[in-house]
């Protein structure tokens, strides 16, 4: 199993670079950031510094979208980083939640997202792509490589990830839901004539190593609110009892009243009081290192290839160090 760390691009950017360097020293292979132009600093500028100051770390957004950055701009940006630092990037992409809504626009349609996955990958790897009927190729790209991983929750998005993406990003670590969604992605991949094992499975969730479980829950409760945004979209699209979405995913948002993106992804978010302790425990990894090991082993058995650790709490450094000392070595094989 690979390990990644996910950070917000808050100022100072030097702190983001420092944490990414610390993650690499602790055995993490991936460094991810949020991508929302209004809420945080520009991640691709920071990626350049991260890549310059690390040796092996692979960087990318969790996640970008095909509207705040058009596909040709996204492809060229990744290809530039790859030319400078040697194919050490990955493109996480989704419909766009905070990035679009904060700018006053709805998230992208799945149709636009699906079309963009192929365009970004083809252009970034030096192939020709169709941009609205206009054939385009970026002529200076040589030996480019860009895996495109898609974030998804709902049945149509999960099917698209299996059909089109190089990887699937699931932003929660609940074993029941993880198993259900991996099966949906792999079923779609097989139906599309792909080898399901070719789709990398990445589970992303907050992790907090420590014995004070109550404190850890309060530091990570924001995550249930963030996931709740996506769940609310699914309920609006499919209905609360459609049978297409597990009730384990939808029941907890019944008390959700609204969401202020100015607190997005932050400890103490006042819009996450509706998230019960049981959901925090199911969606996140909390407690002593042994509890993390137990849950990660279960996720690995379900087919998870990477665990990406959200480090948005008051124990970033100690959690990265605990993973480096006690957890990542257990999965070295």
């Amino acid at each position: 199993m690979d390990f990644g760390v996910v950070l917000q691009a808050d100022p100072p950017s030097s702190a983001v670079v420092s944490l990414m360097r610390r993650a690499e020293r602790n055995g993490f292979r991936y460094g991810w950031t949020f991508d929302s132009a209004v809420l945080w600093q520009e991640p691709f500028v920071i990626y350049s510094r991260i890549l310059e100051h690390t040796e092996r770390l692979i960087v990318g957004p969790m996640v970008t979208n095909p509207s705040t950055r058009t596909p040709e701009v996204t492809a060229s940006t990744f290809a530039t980083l790859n030319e400078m630092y040697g194919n050490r990037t990955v493109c996480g992409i989704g419909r766009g939640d905070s990035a679009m809504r904060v700018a006053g626009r709805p998230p992208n349609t799945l149709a636009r997202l699906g079309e963009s996955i192929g365009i970004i990958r083809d252009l970034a790897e030096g192939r020709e792509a169709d941009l609205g009927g206009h054939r385009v190729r970026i002529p200076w790209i040589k030996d480019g490589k860009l895996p495109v991983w898609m974030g998804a929750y709902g049945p149509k998005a999960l099917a698209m990830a299996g059909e089109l993406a190089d990887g699937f990003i699931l932003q929660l670590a609940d074993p029941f839901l993880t198993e259900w969604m991996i099966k949906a992605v792999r079923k779609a991949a097989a139906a599309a004539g792909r080898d399901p094992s070719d789709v990398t499975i990445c589970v992303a969730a907050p992790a907090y190593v420590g014995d004070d479980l109550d404190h850890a829950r309060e530091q990570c409760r924001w995550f249930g609110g963030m996931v709740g945004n996506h769940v609310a979209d699914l309920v609006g699209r499919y209905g609360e009892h459609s049978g297409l979405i597990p009730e384990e995913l939808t029941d907890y948002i019944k008390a959700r009243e609204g969401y202020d993106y100015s607190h997005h992804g932050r400890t103490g978010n006042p819009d996450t009081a509706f998230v019960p302790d049981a959901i925090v425990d199911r969606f996140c990894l909390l407690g002593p290192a042994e509890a993390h090991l137990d849950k990660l082993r279960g996720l690995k058995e379900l087919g998870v290839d990477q665990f990406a650790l959200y480090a948005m709490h008051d124990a970033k450094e100690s959690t990265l160090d605990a993973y480096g000392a006690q957890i990542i070595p257990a999965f070295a094989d």
Side-chain angles (χ1 to χ4, degrees):
M1 180 185 278
D2 280 331
F3 289 84
V5 61
V6 191
L7 300 173
Q8 293 170 331
D10 283 323
S13 56
S14 58
V16 179
V17 177
S18 177
L19 283 167
M20 291 295 188
R21 295 180 69 187
R22 191 183 196 116
E24 183 179 64
R25 291 196 300 270
N26 277 301
F28 289 81
R29 290 193 61 229
Y30 285 77
W32 304 90
T33 72
F34 283 32
D35 178 15
S36 188
V38 175
L39 296 177
W40 297 289
Q41 292 184 320
E42 172 52 42
F44 284 90
V45 176
I46 300 173
Y47 296 157
S48 187
R49 294 289 290 172
I50 294 169
L51 290 166
E52 181 181 0
H53 290 283
T54 57
E55 297 179 0
R56 300 170 301 280
L57 203 68
I58 298 167
V59 303
M62 189 177 283
V63 291
T64 193
N65 73 86
S67 286
T68 56
R69 307 177 194 277
T70 61
E72 68 274 18
V73 171
T74 298
S76 182
T77 304
F78 275 111
T80 301
L81 291 172
N82 285 338
E83 190 276 329
M84 293 172 68
Y85 300 105
N87 289 339
R88 289 170 54 201
T89 64
V90 56
C91 177
I93 194 167
R95 294 177 61 229
D97 177 33
S98 63
M100 296 294 287
R101 288 189 165 117
V102 168
R105 300 191 295 271
N108 294 270
T109 64
L110 280 176
R112 177 170 175 79
L113 175 58
E115 178 184 52
S116 299
I117 288 173
I119 292 172
I120 291 168
R121 183 169 48 217
D122 284 344
L123 289 178
E125 295 185 348
R127 295 184 295 276
E128 191 177 80
D130 187 321
L131 292 178
H134 184 62
R135 304 298 296 181
V136 172
R137 186 178 72 85
I138 302 176
W140 52 264
I141 295 177
K142 309 294 182 187
D143 302 319
K145 185 66 177 175
L146 182 66
V148 181
W149 296 8
M150 178 180 160
Y153 288 104
K156 291 181 180 179
L158 293 169
M160 180 175 287
E163 293 164 1
L164 302 177
D166 300 299
F168 162 52
I169 297 171
L170 172 58
Q171 291 168 307
L172 54 80
D174 175 70
F176 174 83
L177 294 170
T178 298
E179 181 176 22
W180 184 83
M181 293 186 185
I182 289 175
K183 285 180 178 178
V185 169
R186 288 179 168 167
K187 180 180 178 181
R194 306 179 66 191
D195 183 344
S197 66
D198 287 343
V199 183
T200 301
I201 306 296
C202 174
V203 160
Y208 195 108
V209 180
D211 294 326
D212 189 341
L213 193 55
D214 288 337
H215 181 72
R217 285 175 178 143
E218 291 311 311
Q219 289 291 305
C220 298
R221 197 176 304 277
W222 63 265
F223 185 67
M226 187 183 83
V227 173
N229 294 333
H230 302 290
V231 176
D233 281 348
L234 295 176
V235 171
R237 188 175 304 116
Y238 296 105
E240 187 174 341
H241 302 292
S242 64
L244 297 173
I245 312 161
E247 292 189 1
E248 287 84 351
L249 186 60
T250 60
D251 281 352
Y252 87 98
I253 68 162
K254 290 177 180 178
R256 179 182 183 270
E257 295 181 354
Y259 193 83
D260 181 352
Y261 280 91
S262 65
H263 305 289
H264 190 55
R266 299 194 185 281
T267 296
N269 185 335
D271 295 322
T272 60
F274 72 93
V275 181
D277 287 351
I279 286 293
V280 182
D281 292 349
R282 288 178 62 174
F283 284 10
C284 304
L285 279 76
L286 311 175
E290 293 77 12
H292 293 244
L293 286 166
D294 287 344
K295 192 161 189 178
L296 288 166
R297 289 180 179 125
L299 292 171
K300 183 179 179 182
E301 289 179 3
L302 296 176
V304 174
D305 300 299
Q306 179 186 151
F307 174 62
L309 181 164
Y310 281 99
M312 274 82 89
H313 49 56
D314 64 0
K316 299 179 181 69
E317 292 85 356
S318 62
T319 295
L320 292 177
D321 293 348
Y323 264 68
Q326 302 176 68
I327 296 170
I328 293 177
F331 295 89
D333 58 344

